[in-house]
Amino acid sequence: MSQKLSIIVVEKDRDRALRIVDSLAETGSHDIQVIAEETSLARRISTQNPDVVLIDIANPSRDTLEELALASAPMDRPVAMFVDRSDDGLTKAAIEAGVSAYVVDGLQPERLKPILDAAIARFHMFQRMRTELAETKRALEERKVIDRAKGLLMKARNIDEDAAYALMRKAAMDQGRKVADVAQALVTAAELLS
């Protein structure tokens, strides 16, 4: 945590919140906000748009844990959750909700920095994986549309696959569009005409 981070701490207990803030202050100069009330948590976190959310819960229930995790938008930012006790179901629920770090046995001030560093690193790794997965899915969808459009051209013009692709590629170049866009237009037109 060498750069200045904006951190929201979700903690009901004032004394515990102060200990967390003091521990964070020892790791560097950060913009730290404490939220003690869980009502409107999602809105308040969204308004503040922090770099990291740190949640400390003494005895979480599955519902509380899921609500807190989802309210902190774990897909938008790293979320580290500290609990005093847990079981397999709670751990699984937190991880599935997207929590970057789920630490059992409470928040120990000396462990705070490495845990937050790991949560931030893990969040960025998963964010890259989500982006790559979305790009792969998009590429596969484009490939399916291009293949379908090639089939339509092969049937309509009685040409082979390479000639159908060359025809779409030439149309794309002439129109300054992507081959996938030309293929989608062809497929859409064919659907309207059938």
Side-chain angles (χ1 to χ4, degrees):
M1 289 190 292
S2 57
Q3 65 186 40
K4 182 174 182 173
L5 296 173
S6 116
I7 302 171
I8 284 186
V9 176
V10 180
E11 172 57 72
K12 288 181 178 179
D13 185 292
R14 186 177 185 279
D15 292 336
R16 287 173 70 121
L18 288 174
R19 282 199 304 271
I20 294 168
V21 170
D22 289 345
S23 298
L24 287 171
E26 290 176 10
T27 66
S29 174
H30 305 296
D31 178 19
I32 303 168
Q33 303 283 322
V34 176
I35 298 177
E37 292 298 321
E38 294 167 7
T39 55
S40 305
L41 183 63
R43 182 183 52 76
R44 294 172 73 183
I45 289 175
S46 176
T47 301
Q48 298 285 332
N49 194 25
D51 296 317
V52 181
V53 175
L54 190 158
I55 301 171
D56 186 37
I57 312 172
N59 295 305
S61 70
R62 185 184 180 94
D63 290 342
T64 303
L65 189 144
E66 286 178 347
E67 286 175 21
L68 286 174
L70 293 175
S72 59
M75 298 304 167
D76 298 333
R77 63 186 58 84
V79 175
M81 186 172 284
F82 296 84
V83 298
D84 287 347
R85 64 166 187 82
S86 187
D87 61 33
D88 290 344
L90 292 176
T91 303
K92 184 178 178 186
I95 298 301
E96 286 179 352
V99 169
S100 302
Y102 184 78
V103 182
V104 181
D105 200 18
L107 193 155
Q108 308 294 323
E110 65 276 5
R111 294 170 48 200
L112 192 54
K113 182 183 181 319
I115 289 171
L116 284 183
D117 286 346
I120 291 168
R122 185 171 184 224
F123 171 79
H124 289 299
M125 182 186 75
F126 274 97
Q127 197 173 38
R128 279 193 305 274
M129 290 171 60
R130 283 194 294 268
T131 300
E132 289 172 8
L133 180 61
E135 289 172 359
T136 301
K137 284 182 177 178
R138 184 187 49 76
L140 283 173
E141 287 303 315
E142 286 181 357
R143 182 87 259 156
K144 285 181 188 175
V145 170
I146 289 170
D147 286 346
R148 191 159 170 219
K150 280 192 298 189
L152 291 169
L153 283 174
M154 290 165 63
K155 185 176 178 183
R157 294 209 168 186
N158 196 23
I159 56 178
D160 66 16
E161 185 176 349
D162 290 340
Y165 186 76
L167 198 59
M168 282 193 301
R169 190 173 65 207
K170 182 177 182 333
M173 290 174 64
D174 291 346
Q175 297 172 19
R177 300 169 67 190
K178 292 173 39 181
V179 172
D181 294 338
V182 170
Q184 183 61 59
L186 184 61
V187 168
T188 301
E191 287 172 352
L192 290 173
L193 294 172
S194 63

